[in-house]
Amino acid sequence: MDHLIHNPDLTASVIYGLGWVYLLLFIMNSFWAHRSLVHDGMCNIRMGGLLGEGQKVPYAAFWALYAGLLLMVAITHLTGWNNPQQFSLVMPEILKTPINKASNPVAFFVGSMTIYILMIVLRKWWTTPTAGWLLLNFSILFLALSITDYDFRQIVGKPDNVPIVAMLYIVGFFTWLYFKKSVENDARKAAGKPLIEQENNEKVLTWPDLVYTELVCMVLVTAVLIAWGIVLQAPLEEPASAAKTPNPSKAPWYFLGLQEMLVYFDPWMAGVVLPSVILVGLMAVPYIDFNKLGNGYYTFNERKFAVSTFLFGFLPLWVAMIVLGTFLRGPNWNFFSPYEYWDVHKLELLNNINLSELFWIEWLGMQLPAVPPGATFAVQAPIIILREFVGLLAVALYLLALPNLMAITVFRSFYIRMGFLRYMVLANLMLMMMSLPIKMVLRWAVNLKYIVAIPEWFFNI
């Protein structure tokens, strides 16, 4: 393609910059090899030959070998950066091609949900120091190799997108830290041992201990921001003009989740109702929470429902939507794979259909009830209700009947302990949260646009 001819995947600056990344990885893993030598002991694999028959090998040897490979890769980058045409340490096409072919909104959502489920099920494994370190190394190596692709680099390397990449690592670290402490506390409680917070309960004075620590952090953050401002260009664009709007026109990163919701909901729903429900729900949590365990200490087993529900709303339905809107939504808000060129001429034909059209035309083979032009409200109302009765009935059953059905089945214990009012608040908050993935699945499965479509009254669901 033409853009690849004029914009090569590898340049001297890219190769040189990645050399410092690999050198930093080498230093990190050298320290980790020393840590592994002290804490991890010996591997069960027995080596013969020069090491002697039956002699065990320390785990640190593998980390030292890996660090040595990273050092060689770093030296290759730092010494061969001036010859990009002959440089071969790039993301191989054998990996880029299947990733591009498998990239679509459905695969992205299913993948984020799969990661969320595995994160909870395998929390005892991935919160170990070695597993966490492996995941960190894998993510950095994958990012470094992906940067060798020009199209990927143009998106991830934008000055206003770099902080979002850093945010993903910060979110990942603190999620790992929470689960690590929770798994350890749950194991301690099961064994009858004191919690981490009870053992490490040493108190210090606000002055000078806390204030001094805050001062050091303030100085470090200031230094990082100054270096950041010097190294990266400010994400300033050309002056705004009504005659020329950006394509894609994106909201600030913290609103990209809401902008992604606009694909599936009307603006009043995605921009007003759902954000309001989020805020009201967060304010209501202290009043509807009946489980007093977990106050002041980390735990998962004692608050499985609360933690799982919060993380489901935060990670797959918010952070993942920000990632989708930032890195995978391009011109005309089309979906682009990670290594795909953002072509403004790309067109994706969508034949979306409302539930009323699906019911009357597709299923019954009848004509959709039509509202006469210029009709009064008294004339419009019965026709619109007849046209949309399937959608209205579905919404009523979802928000009114389903909570009662849940109260006598899967959430029976919640209903007994919470009472009617608190339970209904909880149930409706959960159902409103679940409306996003449900609407997404309906859009992908049957191209459903609106469950209730009343453009005459500017009311669509």
Side-chain angles (χ1 to χ4, degrees):
M1 297 179 67
D2 292 338
H3 75 283
L4 292 179
I5 297 175
H6 301 293
N7 302 292
D9 284 339
L10 284 179
T11 61
S13 60
V14 171
I15 298 174
Y16 189 74
L18 287 177
W20 288 102
V21 173
Y22 287 117
L23 185 62
L24 178 62
L25 270 178
F26 158 73
I27 297 173
M28 291 166 52
N29 282 278
S30 297
F31 282 105
W32 190 262
H34 178 266
R35 180 245 173 226
S36 178
L37 183 64
V38 175
H39 295 93
D40 293 343
M42 297 291 183
C43 180
N44 290 328
I45 300 176
R46 296 178 179 273
M47 304 290 291
L50 296 176
L51 296 177
E53 188 66 29
Q55 185 175 353
K56 291 186 176 182
V57 177
Y59 284 102
F62 297 98
W63 288 110
L65 177 62
Y66 171 62
L69 292 175
L70 288 173
L71 178 60
M72 289 189 289
V73 172
I75 293 174
T76 303
H77 280 74
L78 295 175
T79 57
W81 59 270
N82 55 354
N83 195 7
Q85 294 78 11
Q86 298 182 3
F87 209 84
S88 59
L89 292 175
V90 298
M91 173 66 81
E93 291 293 333
I94 195 173
L95 292 180
K96 288 199 294 187
T97 301
I99 291 176
N100 281 344
K101 289 183 177 180
S103 296
N104 55 71
V106 180
F108 180 83
F109 182 73
V110 172
S112 62
M113 286 299 303
T114 302
I115 293 174
Y116 163 75
I117 294 172
L118 292 177
M119 178 185 69
I120 293 177
V121 174
L122 303 178
R123 61 185 182 276
K124 293 183 179 179
W125 171 78
W126 72 275
T127 55
T128 59
T130 301
W133 191 255
L134 282 171
L135 293 174
L136 176 63
N137 274 268
F138 173 79
S139 65
I140 295 177
L141 287 175
F142 181 81
L143 181 63
L145 284 175
S146 297
I147 286 177
T148 60
D149 179 84
Y150 173 81
D151 297 313
F152 183 92
R153 188 168 66 251
Q154 297 311 298
I155 306 306
V156 177
K158 290 180 63 176
D160 47 352
N161 287 350
V162 172
I164 303 177
V165 177
M167 179 198 71
L168 295 179
Y169 278 95
I170 294 172
V171 170
F173 169 74
F174 283 106
T175 303
W176 176 86
L177 183 64
Y178 160 75
F179 275 104
K180 180 180 184 301
K181 291 181 176 294
S182 297
V183 168
E184 186 174 352
N185 266 348
D186 292 337
R188 283 170 170 262
K189 200 153 193 177
K193 298 180 180 179
L195 302 175
I196 301 174
E197 291 78 7
Q198 294 172 344
E199 281 194 350
N200 303 325
N201 198 25
E202 182 182 356
K203 294 181 174 59
V204 296
L205 296 173
T206 302
W207 174 266
D209 301 271
L210 177 61
V211 176
Y212 181 76
T213 304
E214 292 174 341
L215 176 62
V216 173
C217 292
M218 182 179 66
V219 172
L220 291 176
V221 170
T222 303
V224 170
L225 291 178
I226 292 175
W228 193 307
I230 295 174
V231 174
L232 290 179
Q233 296 181 357
L236 300 177
E237 300 182 2
E238 60 187 26
S241 172
K244 183 181 180 181
T245 58
N247 187 10
S249 183
K250 293 186 178 183
W253 66 269
Y254 42 84
F255 283 145
L256 281 178
L258 298 180
Q259 191 169 353
E260 179 63 23
M261 291 183 197
L262 290 172
V263 178
Y264 311 99
F265 291 100
D266 234 27
W268 73 275
M269 188 74 177
V272 179
V273 175
L274 291 179
S276 300
V277 168
I278 293 172
L279 295 176
V280 173
L282 291 174
M283 289 187 290
V285 166
Y287 302 98
I288 63 178
D289 184 19
F290 61 87
N291 187 356
K292 302 306 178 184
L293 298 175
N295 290 330
Y297 59 93
Y298 291 94
T299 181
F300 179 81
N301 289 341
E302 294 179 350
R303 300 191 63 86
K304 291 181 180 179
F305 174 79
V307 173
S308 300
T309 303
F310 171 79
L311 288 179
F312 175 73
F314 179 64
L315 295 178
L317 298 187
W318 191 252
V319 175
M321 293 297 103
I322 291 175
V323 173
L324 175 60
T326 303
F327 303 111
L328 302 178
R329 289 292 189 184
N332 307 313
W333 208 250
N334 286 324
F335 185 93
F336 289 83
S337 57
Y339 309 107
E340 182 180 358
Y341 171 62
W342 280 20
D343 188 358
V344 296
H345 304 293
K346 179 180 179 179
L347 295 176
E348 293 184 355
L349 299 178
L350 298 176
N351 187 23
N352 297 327
I353 186 171
N354 298 323
L355 181 59
S356 56
E357 297 170 341
L358 191 65
F359 176 76
W360 288 100
I361 300 175
E362 299 290 336
W363 296 347
L364 297 184
M366 299 173 60
Q367 189 174 3
L368 190 70
V371 178
T376 62
F377 176 80
V379 176
Q380 287 182 343
I383 299 176
I384 291 175
I385 292 175
L386 175 64
R387 185 188 70 198
E388 304 295 333
F389 87 93
V390 176
L392 293 171
L393 180 62
V395 172
L397 290 175
Y398 182 74
L399 294 178
L400 300 177
L402 189 56
N404 294 286
L405 178 62
M406 294 161 54
I408 61 176
T409 54
V410 292
F411 285 98
R412 179 178 174 83
S413 61
F414 282 70
Y415 179 76
I416 295 174
R417 299 182 65 179
M418 299 179 69
F420 176 78
L421 183 60
R422 290 199 301 172
Y423 167 76
M424 289 302 293
V425 172
L426 172 67
N428 279 277
L429 287 174
M430 289 188 58
L431 291 176
M432 291 295 290
M433 180 179 68
M434 292 302 300
S435 65
L436 176 59
I438 291 174
K439 192 72 182 294
M440 294 169 71
V441 171
L442 290 175
R443 174 67 62 85
W444 301 330
V446 295
N447 292 329
L448 186 66
K449 185 178 182 180
Y450 293 129
I451 297 174
V452 176
I454 310 179
E456 298 86 353
W457 300 343
F458 304 100
F459 182 82
N460 303 301
I461 300 178

